[in-house]
Coordinates of all heavy atoms in Angstrom, one line a residue:
I19 N -3.3 34.0 110.4 CA -3.5 33.6 109.0 C -3.6 35.0 108.3 O -4.5 35.8 108.7 CB -4.7 32.7 108.8 CG1 -4.5 31.4 109.5 CG2 -4.8 32.5 107.3 CD1 -5.8 30.6 109.5
F20 N -2.9 35.1 107.2 CA -3.0 36.3 106.4 C -2.8 36.0 104.9 O -2.1 35.1 104.6 CB -2.1 37.5 106.9 CG -0.6 37.2 106.9 CD1 0.2 37.5 105.8 CD2 -0.1 36.5 108.0 CE1 1.5 37.2 105.9 CE2 1.3 36.3 108.0 CZ 2.1 36.6 107.0
D21 N -3.4 36.8 104.1 CA -3.2 36.7 102.6 C -2.4 37.9 102.2 O -2.4 39.0 102.7 CB -4.6 36.8 101.9 CG -5.4 35.6 102.1 OD1 -4.9 34.5 102.3 OD2 -6.6 35.7 102.0
Q22 N -1.6 37.6 101.1 CA -0.8 38.7 100.5 C -1.0 38.6 99.0 O -1.0 37.5 98.4 CB 0.7 38.6 100.8 CG 0.9 38.9 102.3 CD 2.4 39.1 102.6 OE1 3.2 38.3 102.3 NE2 2.7 40.2 103.3
W23 N -1.1 39.8 98.3 CA -1.1 39.9 96.9 C 0.1 40.7 96.5 O 0.3 41.8 97.0 CB -2.4 40.6 96.5 CG -3.6 39.8 96.7 CD1 -4.3 39.0 95.9 CD2 -4.4 39.8 98.0 NE1 -5.4 38.4 96.5 CE2 -5.5 38.9 97.8 CE3 -4.3 40.4 99.2 CZ2 -6.4 38.6 98.7 CZ3 -5.2 40.1 100.2 CH2 -6.2 39.2 99.9
C24 N 0.9 40.1 95.6 CA 2.2 40.6 95.3 C 2.3 40.9 93.8 O 2.0 40.0 93.0 CB 3.3 39.7 95.7 SG 3.3 39.2 97.4
E25 N 2.8 42.0 93.4 CA 3.0 42.3 92.0 C 4.2 41.6 91.5 O 5.1 41.1 92.4 CB 3.2 43.8 91.8 CG 2.0 44.7 92.2 CD 2.3 46.2 92.1 OE1 3.4 46.6 91.7 OE2 1.4 46.9 92.5
P26 N 4.4 41.4 90.2 CA 5.6 40.7 89.7 C 6.9 41.3 90.3 O 7.0 42.5 90.4 CB 5.5 40.8 88.2 CG 4.0 40.9 88.0 CD 3.5 41.7 89.1
G27 N 7.8 40.4 90.7 CA 9.1 40.9 91.3 C 9.0 41.3 92.8 O 10.1 41.5 93.4
S28 N 7.8 41.3 93.4 CA 7.7 41.6 94.8 C 7.4 40.4 95.6 O 7.1 39.3 95.1 CB 6.7 42.7 95.0 OG 5.4 42.3 94.7
G29 N 7.5 40.5 96.9 CA 7.2 39.4 97.8 C 7.7 39.8 99.2 O 7.5 40.9 99.7
A30 N 8.2 38.8 99.9 CA 8.7 39.0 101.3 C 10.2 38.7 101.3 O 10.7 37.7 100.9 CB 8.0 38.0 102.2
P31 N 11.0 39.7 101.9 CA 12.4 39.5 102.0 C 12.7 38.4 103.0 O 11.9 37.9 103.8 CB 12.9 40.9 102.5 CG 11.7 41.4 103.2 CD 10.5 40.9 102.5
L32 N 14.0 38.0 103.1 CA 14.4 36.9 104.0 C 14.1 37.3 105.4 O 14.5 38.4 105.8 CB 15.9 36.6 103.8 CG 16.2 35.9 102.5 CD1 17.7 35.8 102.3 CD2 15.5 34.6 102.4
H33 N 13.5 36.4 106.2 CA 13.1 36.7 107.6 C 12.9 35.3 108.2 O 13.0 34.3 107.6 CB 11.9 37.5 107.6 CG 10.7 36.9 107.1 ND1 10.4 36.8 105.7 CD2 9.6 36.2 107.7 CE1 9.3 36.1 105.5 NE2 8.8 35.8 106.7
L34 N 12.7 35.4 109.5 CA 12.4 34.1 110.3 C 11.3 34.4 111.3 O 11.1 35.6 111.7 CB 13.6 33.5 110.8 CG 14.5 34.3 111.8 CD1 14.0 34.2 113.2 CD2 15.9 33.8 111.7
H35 N 10.7 33.3 111.8 CA 9.7 33.4 112.9 C 10.1 32.4 113.9 O 10.8 31.4 113.6 CB 8.3 33.0 112.4 CG 7.8 33.8 111.2 ND1 7.4 35.1 111.2 CD2 7.8 33.4 109.9 CE1 7.1 35.5 110.0 NE2 7.3 34.5 109.2
A36 N 9.6 32.5 115.1 CA 9.9 31.6 116.2 C 9.0 30.4 116.1 O 9.2 29.4 116.9 CB 9.7 32.3 117.6
V37 N 8.1 30.4 115.2 CA 7.1 29.3 115.0 C 7.1 28.8 113.6 O 7.6 29.5 112.7 CB 5.7 29.7 115.5 CG1 5.7 30.1 116.9 CG2 5.2 30.9 114.6
E38 N 6.5 27.6 113.4 CA 6.3 27.1 112.0 C 5.4 28.0 111.2 O 4.5 28.7 111.7 CB 5.6 25.7 112.0 CG 6.5 24.6 112.4 CD 5.7 23.3 112.3 OE1 4.5 23.2 112.7 OE2 6.4 22.3 111.8
E39 N 5.6 28.0 109.9 CA 4.7 28.7 109.0 C 4.5 27.9 107.8 O 5.4 27.2 107.2 CB 5.4 30.0 108.5 CG 4.6 30.8 107.5 CD 5.2 32.1 107.1 OE1 6.5 32.3 107.4 OE2 4.5 33.0 106.5
L40 N 3.2 27.9 107.3 CA 2.9 27.3 106.0 C 2.6 28.4 105.0 O 1.8 29.2 105.2 CB 1.6 26.4 106.2 CG 1.2 25.7 104.9 CD1 2.2 24.6 104.6 CD2 -0.2 25.1 105.0
L41 N 3.4 28.4 103.9 CA 3.2 29.3 102.8 C 2.5 28.6 101.7 O 3.0 27.6 101.2 CB 4.5 29.9 102.3 CG 5.2 30.9 103.1 CD1 6.5 31.3 102.5 CD2 4.3 32.2 103.2
E42 N 1.3 29.0 101.4 CA 0.4 28.4 100.4 C 0.2 29.3 99.2 O -0.2 30.5 99.4 CB -0.9 28.0 101.0 CG -1.9 27.3 100.0 CD -3.2 27.1 100.6 OE1 -3.4 27.4 101.8 OE2 -4.1 26.6 99.9
V43 N 0.5 28.9 98.0 CA 0.2 29.7 96.8 C -1.3 29.4 96.4 O -1.7 28.3 96.2 CB 1.1 29.3 95.6 CG1 0.7 30.1 94.4 CG2 2.6 29.6 96.0
I44 N -2.0 30.5 96.4 CA -3.4 30.5 96.0 C -3.6 30.7 94.5 O -4.3 30.0 93.8 CB -4.3 31.5 96.8 CG1 -4.1 31.4 98.3 CG2 -5.8 31.5 96.4 CD1 -4.6 30.1 98.9

């Protein structure tokens, strides 16, 4: 589990994992 703080226009580029992921907007 990890948190990310992103400035406007930034984030995570297209990628994949071998497992499920839940992305939650805080």
Side-chain angles (χ1 to χ4, degrees):
I19 302 172
F20 58 96
D21 287 334
Q22 292 190 311
W23 292 267
C24 307
E25 295 175 5
S28 63
L32 291 175
H33 63 284
L34 57 87
H35 309 284
V37 297
E38 282 184 321
E39 178 178 15
L40 181 71
L41 283 176
E42 177 186 1
V43 175
I44 305 297

